[in-house]
Structures are given as C-alpha cells and as structure tokens.
Amino acid sequence: MNSSIKLKQTIIIGAILLLVAFLFTRDIKGLIKPTEENGKMPSSGQVAQAAAPSTSGLSIQQTSEAAKNVINKSLATDITALENSYKGATGTEKTELAQKLAQKWDDVEQLTPSALYLEVVAEAKPTATNWLASGNKFLKAFESTQDSLAQPALLQKANTSFTKALELDKENIDAKTGLGVTIVNGLGAPMQGIAMLLEVVAKDPKNLKANMNLGLFSIKSGQFDKAIPRFNTVIATAPTPEAYFYLATALENLDKNKEAVEAYLKSKKLAANPTLSSFIDKKVAELKNKS
C-alpha cells in the first residue's frame, strides 16, 4: 500500500516538474509532444523554455548578450543602443533607462535581463513597490527557466527582493506571498513558507498565487484532498488551463476519474494547445477505460 502511494507521488512530482515550464507562463509554450503512444509524459529535462538562453551568469551583460541571440535582430539593435546610453548615464537618468530596458526585455519575454534591470531600479529607488516588481520578475524567471544553474540564483534574488519589500511594508500581502513561494521552493524550511501562504489566505481567501502554490505543495506531498479546494478557489476567480490541469491531477489520484476527465477537458479547451490536447486526449481515454 505504501509503495503504491509513493509511486503515485513520484509520478505526479515528475509531471509537475515537466509541466512547470508552461504552466506558469502566459501563453502555454514549452511542453513537447509525449514520447510514447500511451500518453506518458516525456522524460526529465525534455521540457524547456522555447529557445531560452542560459542565464547561469546572472549578470546584466551576460544575460543580455545571450538573450539577444534569440530575439529579432532589429529589436536587439534597439536594445543595444539603449544599453549603451544606460552605461554612460548617471543618477536619475540611469535609473530611468534601467526601467525602460526592463520593459523592453519584458516585451520580448526575456525575463532574466528584465528582472536584473528592475533590481537596479529598486536599488536606486528602494520602495516596497519597486522591490516587489523585482521579486515578481525574478520569481517568474525562476518558474520559466529550465537552466538548473540559473534557478537557485533567480530564486535567491526573488527571495531577497521580497524580503526588502516586506521590510519597507510589513503588511504587503503580495510580498509575503512571493516570499512564501520562494521558501517553499527551497529557500528555507517548507513549512515556514506554507505558514506564510496560509497567513496570506487567512487575510485574502481568494489570493490566486497563494492558493495555487498551496495546491501545488499539497500535490507534491501527496495530500490530494487538500489540493482540490485550493485549485477550485483559483478556478472560481481565474479559470486557467493550469488550474484545471492540476485539479484533474488531484482528482485522478483520488480515483475520481469522472471529475478528473471533466477537469482535463476544460484545461484542454482553455489552453488550445495541440501538444497538450494530444496528451489530455490520451489521458482521458485511459481514465474512461478505468471507469
């Protein structure tokens, strides 16, 4: 019995790691086709951010040069010109250029250089709002990249940014949520992060990020019954394909196959992604055969 539960947990944790590249991005991208006809997910390491540059250096210069290799040459030229102006600027002008560069990189979905420039802005103008923006961007970069060398540094920078935001505004729910997420993901005792996220939902029961991460942690720890209300809360406010997918995962592992099929199909409809659709079709057929 215990071995069966452990096997289920191992399978689900593997699926989470494989899907995180697209489940935390705006437009679901990065999931590759299942490698076997029975609908199993691809092996570890196969899911990657599309054409993402290595960000392990985490310096502005290194990440900028790497990112320019995967964007339109005309846009890269525009960014280079702006960066040259940034290098020669001082004071307020330099901060304003860093803000513009953060936006430029965000516009082309290169999250790490965007986050690094937001960090520059926060250091020059240390407000809770600026540190929160920096933390959110570093966290999003962490969740999107498959660069195992960059992930710890991105998570640490997110943690530092959220910590500084909280020092300036101790009641900032978004900063507390972000800090809790970084802790749950490895920067401290997981239960410390969970306690922070529970504190957030006590004050803001419909908080999307806190509920989503509490649901994910419940799945990772095999507490599928606790995951379901978390994802239902997210869905009631913002019905996203990732929320439905994880809800389906939890339901499937509780042998609630009919409900799982319904949730998988809603995820498929919202995502409108051919690769995900193929995987879900095979998953649905598998679950219907069990009924």
Side-chain angles (χ1 to χ4, degrees), residues 11-237:
I11 293 171
I12 296 308
I13 290 171
I16 289 170
L17 294 175
L18 290 166
L19 289 166
V20 76
F22 79 94
L23 290 179
F24 285 98
T25 52
R26 278 175 296 182
D27 47 358
I28 297 175
K29 62 181 183 181
L31 180 66
I32 66 171
K33 294 182 178 180
T35 55
E36 298 178 16
E37 288 304 312
N38 63 5
K40 290 183 180 179
M41 295 300 296
S43 61
S44 178
Q46 286 183 299
V47 177
Q49 186 178 1
S54 174
T55 57
S56 58
L58 283 194
S59 74
I60 287 178
Q61 182 175 350
Q62 289 176 334
T63 56
S64 173
E65 291 305 314
K68 286 172 188 173
N69 291 327
V70 296
I71 65 173
N72 179 278
K73 288 185 178 181
S74 177
L75 291 173
T77 299
D78 291 343
I79 289 175
T80 297
L82 197 57
E83 286 181 329
N84 288 335
S85 296
Y86 167 80
K87 291 173 184 176
T90 58
T92 302
E93 183 186 5
K94 195 175 187 72
T95 304
E96 290 175 352
L97 286 169
Q99 185 73 62
K100 289 181 180 179
L101 282 161
Q103 186 59 57
K104 284 283 187 182
W105 282 120
D106 192 50
D107 289 343
V108 293
E109 298 185 351
Q110 296 301 320
L111 302 178
T112 298
S114 178
L116 288 168
Y117 278 112
L118 286 176
E119 183 182 43
V120 170
V121 173
E123 288 171 343
K125 300 171 64 177
T127 65
T129 298
N130 286 341
W131 280 119
L132 181 60
S134 170
N136 282 334
K137 195 66 66 179
F138 276 123
L139 184 58
K140 191 173 181 181
F142 162 77
E143 292 169 339
S144 297
T145 187
Q146 292 297 295
D147 185 339
S148 60
L149 295 177
Q151 285 174 337
L154 289 167
L155 191 63
Q156 182 61 65
K157 281 186 172 290
N159 180 280
T160 299
S161 294
F162 289 129
T163 298
K164 290 184 176 181
L166 273 177
E167 288 173 352
L168 294 166
D169 181 2
K170 290 180 171 51
E171 300 303 317
N172 193 306
I173 287 181
D174 291 333
K176 185 170 290 187
T177 302
L179 186 59
V181 172
T182 65
I183 293 172
V184 169
N185 277 282
L187 290 184
M191 292 313 299
Q192 179 188 359
I194 293 299
M196 294 184 74
L197 295 178
L198 289 173
E199 185 179 338
V200 168
V201 295
K203 294 181 179 179
D204 181 13
K206 295 182 179 180
N207 188 285
L208 296 180
K209 185 178 288 187
N211 276 293
M212 190 71 177
N213 280 276
L214 285 168
L216 288 172
F217 184 82
S218 294
I219 285 183
K220 290 176 184 178
S221 59
Q223 301 177 80
F224 304 111
D225 55 332
K226 292 184 178 180
I228 291 172
R230 297 298 178 190
F231 297 128
N232 279 331
T233 296
V234 173
I235 288 167
T237 304

